[in-house]
Amino acid sequence: MKSKLWITALIASAVIATGCSANNTNSESEEMDHSNMSEEEMKNMEGMDHSNMDMEGMDMENGHASHTNPLELNNSTGENELALPPLVEAKDGVVDITAQQGKTEIFEGVQTDTYGYNGSFLGPVIRVSEGETVTFRTKNDLLEPTTFHWHGVDIPGEGDGGPHQLLQPGASEDVKFTVSQGASTLWFHPHPEGSTAEQVYKGLAGLIYVEDENSKSLGLPDEYGVNDFPLVFQDRQFNEDKQFDYQAVRNEDGTIGDTMLVNGTLNPKLTVGKEKVRLRLLNGSNARNYTFKLNTGDSFQQIATDGGFLNEPTEMSEITLTPGERAEIIVDFSKYDASSDVALVNEADSILLPFKIDEQKTNTVAISETLNDYVVTEEEKNLSVTKKLELFGMGEMVYINDKQFDINRIDFTQKQGETEIWEIYNKPDMMGGMTHPFHIHGTQFKIVSIDGKEPPVELQGWKDTVAIEPDQKVKLAVKFNNKGIYMFHCHVLEHEENGMMGQVEVL
Ligand code: C2O
Ligand code: CU
């Protein structure tokens, strides 16, 4: 009976939230504060029939129940050339990385307060090679504590930059490790408990490229900023003064925005040659999912997942990335000319990135048909499940195995170098639930199966983040090459912050 009342309240608040203006999302979390609900009541949420809850604004969009805040993305007008992050490599084995605050002219003539690494907004691309020993010399020049987390990097736990490795304002820390993984596009961002989402939102994010012998010999476009471009996609909402006011727009189910920034550029366009171009896509958003396609309907080739190359270039007409995920694609612009209208668009046809073709720039590259030798072995397929995780809930009530994050609790242990099968189940709730991008620190894993079936070919490669839809069960083969404490969590940053995170200690 009580739970029925609760549903009524929920529907009412959903209606309110749908009807209210975009910068008023806070009312929702207040309306939906049911922190004094009992365990019993929460458990009841799952068994309910909500087939008749098909009301306006509650359908699914981008994997979100759009009652949260159905903010549509604006189209890029293409008036600004895309910013290219500086490319940095180690000097005498050292890369300096400083988190700092600054002001950035995102809108013409307006200074927006932002955060960045080695600059006022976002970060560089750090390029390292497999086998290289490198020291990331990190420094916190912010006025608040932060951490430096290397997302997707195979690194000892003490250097991973999770919530345990808090760096106070003014403090520095050397993180020394040997790059022990193959070519991939990884990234870095802060991870302090309780302020990850806000710090990322304000601009703390950068890319890490790992190169290896293989990546140099495949004939892939690899000239940085010429035919090989990083694309960091982040949706933001600005206030009237064109500032980020994270607390005002924070949404407990994931903060989304109506304004697309690519590499921090508003209304970007990218000038490319009449040739094959490699685009390294990162969904660096707090919560929004993207389904990337070309407005022409033409296909492109996917060549890499989060942590390495696919075995072969794979023809795709669209590709979905949830927060934290990456993909590398090759777009063949040789069939277009200067008058072509070509753009990267999102599923609802909002224009993310228009291209301008420079016909003077051409190059014929012959891309190898074989890129990698990734395989899920028979042995891995036959291993039994030794870790079970259940993702459940919404808003502030998000859980893994009925628990919320506690920095003093180790949820699992695993032996270094040993492969275990993790089974992750996304348990639907009364609203249907939402897709959770599940991420594990300090390793790249293999997707063994999704609902008992072999994953599609574009997921047959190394991953560190996997989108798990409501009611889906995903099996992962997970091996840690280093020791230490690592986080696993939902990469919707507000879910992570609300407790959808746990810790595995590798011994
Ligand atoms: Cu992208 Cu816990 O990290
Ligand atoms: Cu989530």
Side-chain angles (χ1 to χ4, degrees):
M1 199 58 216
K2 256 185 192 164
S3 37
K4 228 179 214 161
L5 277 173
W6 183 80
I7 290 189
T8 314
L10 190 66
I11 293 174
S13 67
V15 172
I16 291 163
T18 311
C20 73
S21 85
N23 46 17
N24 201 11
T25 50
N26 269 351
S27 64
E28 186 193 354
S29 47
E30 278 152 31
E31 295 273 343
M32 293 176 64
D33 182 6
H34 17 75
S35 41
N36 42 18
M37 252 173 96
S38 69
E39 287 265 335
E40 241 334 91
E41 289 171 296
M42 278 160 40
K43 292 261 152 67
N44 280 340
M45 282 166 64
E46 59 200 88
M48 283 172 178
D49 180 6
H50 24 84
S51 46
N52 52 1
M53 290 182 63
D54 175 25
M55 48 186 291
E56 200 193 345
M58 289 182 70
D59 47 353
M60 300 295 286
E61 182 204 323
N62 257 337
H64 283 79
S66 56
H67 67 277
T68 50
N69 192 351
L71 263 190
E72 269 179 41
L73 269 184
N74 296 335
N75 290 320
S76 170
T77 60
E79 59 198 76
N80 302 311
E81 188 66 32
L82 181 83
L84 196 64
L87 179 68
V88 303
E89 291 182 330
K91 270 195 212 87
D92 301 321
V94 176
V95 180
D96 286 292
I97 310 163
T98 301
Q100 58 194 77
Q101 59 180 38
K103 291 186 187 297
T104 305
E105 189 176 333
I106 299 169
F107 293 85
E108 212 184 322
V110 183
Q111 297 294 319
T112 300
D113 293 317
T114 50
Y115 280 0
Y117 292 114
N118 300 357
S120 71
F121 196 32
L122 298 174
V125 171
I126 301 171
R127 188 160 66 189
V128 295
S129 294
E130 187 180 12
E132 178 181 355
T133 296
V134 61
T135 299
F136 289 162
R137 183 152 293 160
T138 63
K139 178 157 196 271
N140 179 10
D141 271 351
L142 302 171
L143 299 172
E144 59 176 318
T146 191
T147 79
F148 293 76
H149 168 56
W150 322 104
H151 179 128
V153 179
D154 205 333
I155 192 170
E158 75 235 19
D160 176 67
H164 293 278
Q165 284 104 30
L166 211 58
L167 217 55
Q168 295 301 325
S172 296
E173 176 88 32
D174 277 0
V175 179
K176 187 176 179 183
F177 72 107
T178 300
V179 180
S180 58
Q181 63 201 112
S184 43
T185 301
L186 314 173
W187 65 302
F188 63 104
H189 63 78
H191 223 297
E193 199 180 353
S195 41
T196 299
E198 180 160 13
Q199 291 187 4
V200 172
Y201 196 84
K202 288 179 172 171
L204 289 182
L207 287 164
I208 302 173
Y209 289 1
V210 179
E211 300 296 345
D212 62 12
E213 284 312 313
N214 181 38
S215 64
K216 289 169 195 151
S217 68
L218 297 174
L220 294 169
D222 62 358
E223 264 187 88
Y224 185 74
V226 176
N227 57 15
D228 180 358
F229 297 94
L231 298 177
V232 180
F233 293 88
Q234 298 178 309
D235 59 325
R236 294 291 183 262
Q237 202 179 339
F238 292 88
N239 70 9
E240 277 176 14
D241 303 324
K242 304 282 187 249
Q243 302 296 320
F244 296 133
D245 186 352
Y246 176 75
Q247 293 305 332
V249 299
R250 180 182 165 99
N251 185 309
E252 298 303 338
D253 264 320
T255 301
I256 60 175
D258 57 1
T259 306
M260 188 74 223
L261 300 179
V262 186
N263 298 350
T265 307
L266 177 75
N267 288 320
K269 73 159 176 292
L270 176 60
T271 304
V272 293
K274 196 172 157 58
E275 59 186 358
K276 284 186 178 149
V277 168
R278 177 181 186 176
L279 303 175
R280 307 193 190 214
L281 316 175
L282 161 67
N283 181 347
S285 302
N286 282 40
R288 189 185 283 274
N289 303 330
Y290 302 94
T291 296
F292 298 99
K293 15 183 209 181
L294 291 170
N295 62 337
T296 55
D298 290 331
S299 61
F300 48 83
Q301 289 180 311
Q302 183 177 349
I303 55 165
T305 53
D306 297 335
F309 293 120
L310 290 168
N311 286 351
E312 292 157 13
T314 301
E315 207 72 16
M316 305 280 286
S317 58
E318 60 176 50
I319 184 167
T320 297
L321 296 180
T322 62
E325 288 188 291
R326 286 89 63 211
E328 293 181 33
I329 63 172
I330 302 281
V331 181
D332 187 357
F333 289 98
S334 64
K335 57 186 169 223
Y336 309 120
D337 58 39
S339 66
S340 306
D341 169 27
V342 196
L344 205 58
V345 297
N346 191 22
E347 55 181 352
D349 288 337
S350 51
I351 299 166
L352 301 173
L353 183 66
F355 297 103
K356 205 179 140 229
I357 319 285
D358 175 357
E359 294 185 27
Q360 305 310 315
K361 232 173 94 188
T362 58
N363 191 1
T364 35
V365 289
I367 297 171
S368 167
E369 282 305 309
T370 310
L371 304 175
N372 207 347
D373 54 3
Y374 171 91
V375 64
V376 181
T377 63
E378 279 311 304
E379 197 189 332
E380 286 163 341
K381 284 181 191 156
N382 291 328
L383 282 176
S384 48
V385 173
T386 41
K387 292 188 172 30
K388 281 195 177 192
L389 291 84
E390 190 179 83
L391 313 179
F392 179 68
M394 58 188 286
E396 291 177 29
M397 296 159 53
V398 281
Y399 305 89
I400 298 180
N401 290 350
D402 298 321
K403 292 188 216 94
Q404 293 197 322
F405 180 67
D406 177 351
I407 197 165
N408 297 311
R409 184 189 68 233
I410 298 295
D411 297 274
F412 295 116
T413 59
Q414 185 161 333
K415 279 212 189 97
Q416 179 186 25
E418 224 163 72
T419 302
E420 286 199 40
I421 302 297
W422 292 36
E423 182 186 85
I424 332 287
Y425 176 52
N426 181 354
K427 183 160 88 171
D429 59 31
M430 52 157 300
M431 306 289 287
M434 61 184 267
T435 298
H436 299 290
F438 181 78
H439 169 53
I440 307 177
H441 285 206
T443 189
Q444 294 289 331
F445 52 72
K446 299 175 183 177
I447 303 176
V448 177
S449 66
I450 299 175
D451 284 338
K453 292 190 230 45
E454 182 174 70
V457 60
E458 70 272 15
L459 293 177
Q460 294 179 25
W462 293 104
K463 295 282 291 171
D464 55 53
T465 307
V466 56
I468 309 182
E469 293 169 14
D471 208 27
Q472 252 179 2
K473 199 175 266 178
V474 172
K475 277 192 201 174
L476 309 175
V478 184
K479 183 174 84 164
F480 295 93
N481 295 321
N482 294 285
K483 290 183 181 173
I485 294 172
Y486 297 100
M487 305 296 128
F488 51 85
H489 60 89
C490 172
H491 219 287
V492 168
L493 296 179
E494 288 75 13
H495 277 183
E496 177 247 294
E497 232 161 69
N498 289 343
M500 203 173 227
M501 175 157 75
Q503 308 187 74
V504 55
E505 180 165 11
V506 181
L507 303 161

